[in-house]
Amino acid sequence: MYGVCGCCGALRPRYKRLVDNIFPEDPEDGLVKTNMEKLTFYALSAPEKLDRIGAYLSERLIRDVSRHRYGYVCIAMEALDQLLMACHCQSINLFVESFLKMVAKLLESEKPNLQILGTNSFVKFANIEEDTPSYHRSYDFFVSRFSEMCHSSHDDLEIRTKIRMSGIKGLQGVVRKTVNDELQANIWDPQHMDKIVPSLLFNLQHVEEAESRSPSPLQATEKEKESPTELAERCLRELLGRAAYGNIKNAITPVLIHLDNHSLWEPKIFATRCFRIIMYSIQPQHSHLVIQQLLGHLDANSKSAATVRAGIVEVLSEAAVIAASGSVGPTVLEVFNTLLRQLRLSIDYALTGSYNCITGVSTKIIKEHEERMFQEAVIKTIGSFASTLPTYQQSEVMAFIMNKVPLPSSQQSIEAGKAGENRNRLTQIMLLKSLLQVSVGFQCSNMLTALPSAFLDRLLSAALMEDAEIRLFVLEILISFIDRHDNRQKFSTISTISDISVLKLKVEKCSRQDTVFMKKHSQQLFRHIYLICKEESNIQAHYEALYSMLVLISIELANEEVVVDLIRLVLAVQEIAQINEDNLTAYNRCALFALGAAYLNLISQLITVPTFCQHIHEVIQMRQKEAPYLLPEDVFVERPRLSKSLDRLGPEVFFWQSKISEVLGGSGYNSDRLSTPYVPQLTDEDRLSKRKSIGETISLQVEVESRNSPEREQRAPAEEITYETLKKAIVDSVAVEEQERERRRQVVEKFQKAPFEEIAAHCGARATLLQSKLNQIFEITIRPPPSPSGTITAAYGQPQNHSIPVYEMKFPDLCVY
Amino acid sequence: MSMEDYDFLFKIVLIGNAGVGKTCLVRRFTQGLFPPGQGATIGVDFMIKTVEINGEKVKIWDTAGQERFRSITQSYYRSANALILTYDITCEESFRCLPEWLREIEQYASNKVITVLVGNKIDLADKREVSQQRAAEFSEAQDMYYLETSAKESDNVEKLFLDLACRLISEARQNTLVNNVSSPLPGEGKSISYLTCCNFN
């Protein structure tokens, strides 16, 4: 045929002649360069002929393919490429049609070489930026075919790699070509994304396969070094980098599905890697969308195995850190709500041992330790999310979590029974753990905003729960709030150091806000510290936390008054151990003594009053001699040596209030105050919620609320004023309480001892009172109809002076009884 | 002179459980081979063949049966003109999964798709677990065309694809009457489904 064309060359159109001339006699010779230049020149000077050139070239190419003359095929492609490069953008449009047809033809072939050739040309074409839109170009076939090539399972490993690489390159080309052109088939449509994304991930996934292949150093030229994995990663990054707001969802969904299908959440290394790539390459303002999708996926998977959920959650936490400030987006609380809900679900699963609580039919066996792992992962994730938030949102989040903690005083439904109790306890622990996680990352210089009253109240009421673990969490949380200069680690063990300068404490002067905070809340805090000290279930960790707490308050928040109060508090704690009303164990008592010694040792050195230091030092030395089991060094060890003879200790091993107030009074501290022993203000709430497990408290709670209110009101005005006022209020209320008790006692006595007549008389007096009240009511309810409003007010004003109405009736005395 | 070497272009997708012989069917049809020890298909595979009736070209997408590739294979159903739903007559399980596959078809494929039920491996007749009658009843209930084949012995393979081609052509003809506008589409058009890719020169 070629020969025939040559014969009647003169009769053929010029462009056909030019095209024919670029093909050599022998395909081995390659493209005829000079003739190719002629063709290019012709095409440039007559761009309107380009489409015909293209059509003719493609016709020849298709013929050559079907006749297996691959040499000519390559030449035709080379010519096409050159023409494509040489021609101006405007004229390219029509030519492209036949170009794409040829590429498609090559891709349809079974020969890997032709597939690769076609892909390479396509990639070259993809890199040309066209400025004329093309209305009816469609890349469906290319997407399908390139995706298929990415999955190539050719027998020869080397060829397989090559085909996969060209598949990826081809996809990259399609993406480049279409992503910015709104007229073309939307590459972001699920039908394309569902092919492109899994194909890339599939290649990304096979790192080990690619590495085991490691080519011999001879072959490893620059070009061959690139593995499909790297290429796929680059392509994925490029794809995601171009994704606009509306497209993120379509791009991420296939990722999630792919990870599900290939069960890649469980070892989670790959999933984490994927999402790292995603988070780093996506436009930062869209990152919260990814987070949202992950959260949604977590919800959708709430019945999957714990390991899968744990994988998703860990990925989430990784992603959250990467996305940093933008990770949460507009729905902060929604994010935390989802996580907390998952936490709660997991607790349920672990307790019921089934994913379906209602029917109780468990199809899968739930492994408790896996659920535990999942819970830990969720808590960690909550922490990493929170750490990305600004301070004000962090406190919002903490308040939110706190509100979810089931407390006896809250309105949340509290299930009765053993299971409900257990569940509540677990929930409390988990939520407090999350809270701790958040509070660790929380940096707020202002205690007042960090710990708003409502939050503190709830937190402290959790501290009074029977559960030792919960108590410890509350302490830890408080410590992490108070510790703003990272001093906490320095006090993680209790000891009596002779020189605190070795600790290199970072101390800042207590700010005005802190002073206000302490004025407002110090008594509440101290009361709780006192009460926690009394708990029998305390272990070493509790004492350590208590110690840290006391010390940190002294460092961070103390002014003179607070220091005085702290000393009083510690002395009162010493008294707990001394008097031992609550029948504490020897260990508890020794621990309290040791705690006191350690704290007083520290505070004495902090406030640097020589006489005070001396007293403390003396007592500690005395203890070292006489009773080493009262010092932290002996108590807080693995096998504490305890003494049973705690009740027969000499006075010299104790710290004495009188002595301390004397020495401190000399240095300008308020000695009056120092000499008054600390008496905790036990509110009704404390008495009630103490020792109560949550299940039983609902009914009591109503009572507590109503009884508490007057006292709270009473305290409210004092809050704004000075410390003295507060003190007075406290003392007063003690007095009031004392009087009240006395009065009650009298009443009881009277009723027990007095003769019947006397009681009857007393009641008679009350009967008249009742009578008058009734009158009053009758007046108000029965009179009004005809009277104008004036009379009514009068009636309110002096009800006693009204004449007795006719219908008034004396109640017989007996009714009263 | 014709620019393309075909008048009609159809996409056929093979689906079915792993190991029922989808790849072998395609290989037998397109290359005339029966490769023993064929490995599991990864994702999708692509074959093309020009059928002699009226110069029809069929693009055949062979999909992986493995569950883990389900999402990518599903994305290929969407634009298919015909689906060949394959099961293994020596494997009861592969037959029992058919309703599940039908659900997938309903969900992902176009509603005009032609579905053919194929029971493969009739060369292993002595190990047959699914009777012909049962399959025939099933296909009737689902309104599918039904055929039993053997890729190994090349029984009915040719017939399967040629019959399918005929049906596709007749359907396409009907459609072209209604929708006579056609445009040359490089690569593959969005509306290619039932349009002829006509000659322009």
Side-chain angles (χ1 to χ4, degrees), chain A residues 45-96:
Chain A
S45 49
E48 72 278 1
K49 288 285 193 319
L50 248 182
D51 57 327
R52 294 206 199 160
I53 296 174
Y56 183 59
L57 256 175
S58 80
E59 187 188 319
R60 281 196 61 128
L61 180 124
I62 288 165
R63 208 160 53 208
D64 288 337
V65 170
S66 50
R67 288 174 192 172
H68 304 281
R69 295 197 301 212
Y70 300 119
Y72 286 125
V73 173
C74 295
I75 292 168
M77 275 330 275
E78 201 182 331
L80 267 175
D81 287 348
Q82 288 197 14
L83 276 177
L84 206 57
M85 295 299 158
C87 294
H88 294 294
C89 297
Q90 297 93 323
S91 47
I92 226 173
N93 218 344
L94 287 168
F95 177 60
V96 165

Side-chain angles (χ1 to χ4, degrees), chain A residues 48 320 567 621:
Chain A
E48 72 278 1
I567 294 173
Q621 273 189 334

Side-chain angles (χ1 to χ4, degrees), chain A residues 111-311:
Chain A
K111 296 265 181 283
N113 287 341
L114 292 188
Q115 293 173 15
I116 293 168
L117 186 71
T119 315
N120 289 342
S121 290
F122 183 79
V123 171
K124 276 182 209 147
F125 159 70
N127 288 331
I128 300 173
E129 279 192 30
E130 290 171 88
D131 49 10
T132 2
S134 54
Y135 290 93
H136 43 244
R137 206 182 282 163
S138 159
Y139 295 97
D140 282 19
F141 171 73
F142 293 103
V143 172
S144 302
R145 179 59 169 163
F146 287 135
S147 301
E148 189 269 328
M149 282 165 73
C150 288
H151 287 91
S152 163
S153 50
H154 199 278
D155 298 329
D156 187 330
L157 201 60
E158 205 171 315
I159 295 175
R160 184 199 302 171
T161 312
K162 272 189 187 156
I163 295 180
R164 286 189 182 178
M165 300 251 288
S166 14
I168 300 167
K169 283 183 198 152
L171 286 179
Q172 196 171 22
V174 176
V175 170
R176 280 197 192 145
K177 204 70 212 164
T178 50
V179 85
N180 292 323
D181 196 342
E182 280 163 20
L183 286 167
Q184 292 181 7
N186 190 357
I187 196 74
W188 299 105
D189 278 348
Q191 56 164 324
H192 299 308
M193 278 293 135
D194 286 352
K195 290 184 185 116
I196 295 174
V197 174
S199 305
L200 294 177
L201 290 179
F202 176 75
N203 280 287
L204 198 56
Q205 194 182 329
H206 288 268
V207 191
E208 62 293 335
E209 196 181 307
E211 270 165 8
S212 67
R213 182 187 52 101
S214 62
S216 62
L218 281 173
Q219 291 175 304
T221 57
E222 269 313 296
K223 221 178 172 185
E224 275 176 345
K225 256 185 202 163
E226 185 143 68
S227 67
T229 317
E230 287 162 33
L231 195 61
E233 183 176 331
R234 230 161 359 101
C235 184
L236 189 63
R237 282 181 191 278
E238 188 179 333
L239 177 74
L240 291 164
R242 290 164 184 259
Y245 182 86
N247 305 326
I248 301 280
K249 190 164 171 277
N250 286 347
I252 302 297
T253 313
V255 178
L256 297 173
I257 293 173
H258 182 85
L259 294 174
D260 279 350
N261 281 350
H262 291 246
S263 46
L264 289 168
W265 292 112
E266 206 158 317
K268 88 194 171 219
I269 302 154
F270 181 69
T272 320
R273 182 151 159 254
C274 277
F275 274 89
R276 249 189 229 141
I277 293 172
I278 292 172
M279 295 313 283
Y280 278 125
S281 44
I282 219 157
Q283 290 163 38
Q285 71 270 26
H286 301 328
S287 48
H288 71 271
L289 287 174
V290 179
I291 303 282
Q292 263 170 18
Q293 270 205 288
L294 270 171
L295 282 169
H297 196 67
L298 180 61
D299 268 350
N301 270 299
S302 44
K303 297 221 165 151
S304 310
T307 45
V308 171
R309 279 177 286 142

Side-chain angles (χ1 to χ4, degrees), chain B residues 112-156:
Chain B
K112 284 189 241 159
V113 74
I114 296 174
T115 315
V116 184
L117 181 66
V118 172
N120 196 23
K121 306 194 189 176
I122 47 168
D123 46 300
L124 303 171
D126 48 335
K127 290 187 198 155
R128 182 189 274 274
E129 287 181 8
V130 185
S131 74
Q132 197 162 1
Q133 196 200 346
R134 211 170 128 208
E137 277 168 13
F138 179 79
S139 68
E140 212 156 292
Q142 300 296 332
D143 199 21
M144 282 185 294
Y145 179 65
Y146 167 65
L147 205 64
E148 288 198 343
T149 61
S150 164
K152 193 177 174 191
E153 307 293 334
S154 190
D155 285 345
N156 272 342

Side-chain angles (χ1 to χ4, degrees), chain A residues 1 55 58-59 62-63 97 100-101 104-105 107-108 110 135-145 147-148 151-153 164 185 190-191 194-195 198-199 202 205 257-258 261-262, chain B residues 1-6 9 11 27 30-31 38 40-48 57 59 61 67-72 74-76 78-79 183-190 201:
Chain A
M1 186 153 188
S58 80
E59 187 188 319
I62 288 165
R63 208 160 53 208
E97 313 276 296
L100 288 177
K101 207 171 283 169
K105 183 73 197 171
L107 289 176
E108 281 169 13
E110 278 160 38
Y135 290 93
H136 43 244
R137 206 182 282 163
S138 159
Y139 295 97
D140 282 19
F141 171 73
F142 293 103
V143 172
S144 302
R145 179 59 169 163
S147 301
E148 189 269 328
H151 287 91
S152 163
S153 50
R164 286 189 182 178
Q191 56 164 324
D194 286 352
K195 290 184 185 116
S199 305
F202 176 75
Q205 194 182 329
I257 293 173
H258 182 85
N261 281 350
H262 291 246
Chain B
M1 183 176 172
S2 162
M3 256 238 333
E4 271 109 4
D5 47 355
Y6 56 90
L9 177 66
K11 277 178 85 174
R27 284 284 180 105
T30 55
Q31 300 169 336
Q38 174 71 35
T41 308
I42 303 169
V44 263
D45 211 353
F46 171 75
M47 304 275 167
I48 199 147
K57 183 157 127 180
K59 283 183 178 170
W61 299 93
E67 186 75 37
R68 61 195 180 114
F69 291 110
R70 209 49 67 80
S71 70
I72 184 150
Q74 279 161 358
S75 69
Y76 281 83
R78 229 178 296 228
S79 46
S183 55
L185 297 165
E188 197 173 351
K190 313 171 211 144
N201 293 29

Side-chain angles (χ1 to χ4, degrees), chain A residues 290-396:
Chain A
V290 179
I291 303 282
Q292 263 170 18
Q293 270 205 288
L294 270 171
L295 282 169
H297 196 67
L298 180 61
D299 268 350
N301 270 299
S302 44
K303 297 221 165 151
S304 310
T307 45
V308 171
R309 279 177 286 142
I312 300 176
V313 169
E314 300 228 357
V315 170
L316 251 177
S317 93
E318 289 268 347
V321 175
I322 294 167
S325 53
S327 65
V328 176
T331 52
V332 184
L333 292 183
E334 193 46 47
V335 170
F336 287 92
N337 199 16
T338 309
L339 289 171
L340 293 180
R341 185 170 60 234
Q342 288 299 330
L343 201 55
R344 197 171 278 240
L345 274 177
S346 164
I347 292 170
D348 279 353
Y349 293 157
L351 284 177
T352 54
S354 142
Y355 290 124
N356 197 341
C357 305
I358 304 147
T359 56
V361 181
S362 64
T363 44
K364 296 169 217 158
I365 302 148
I366 293 179
K367 298 194 185 88
E368 211 164 316
H369 69 273
E370 282 178 358
E371 289 294 340
R372 189 52 58 94
M373 259 171 47
F374 170 69
Q375 289 158 14
E376 293 299 330
V378 172
I379 290 170
K380 195 181 126 213
T381 308
I382 289 176
S384 57
F385 266 116
S387 65
T388 67
L389 292 174
T391 313
Y392 74 96
Q393 279 185 333
Q394 279 183 341
S395 36
E396 232 169 77

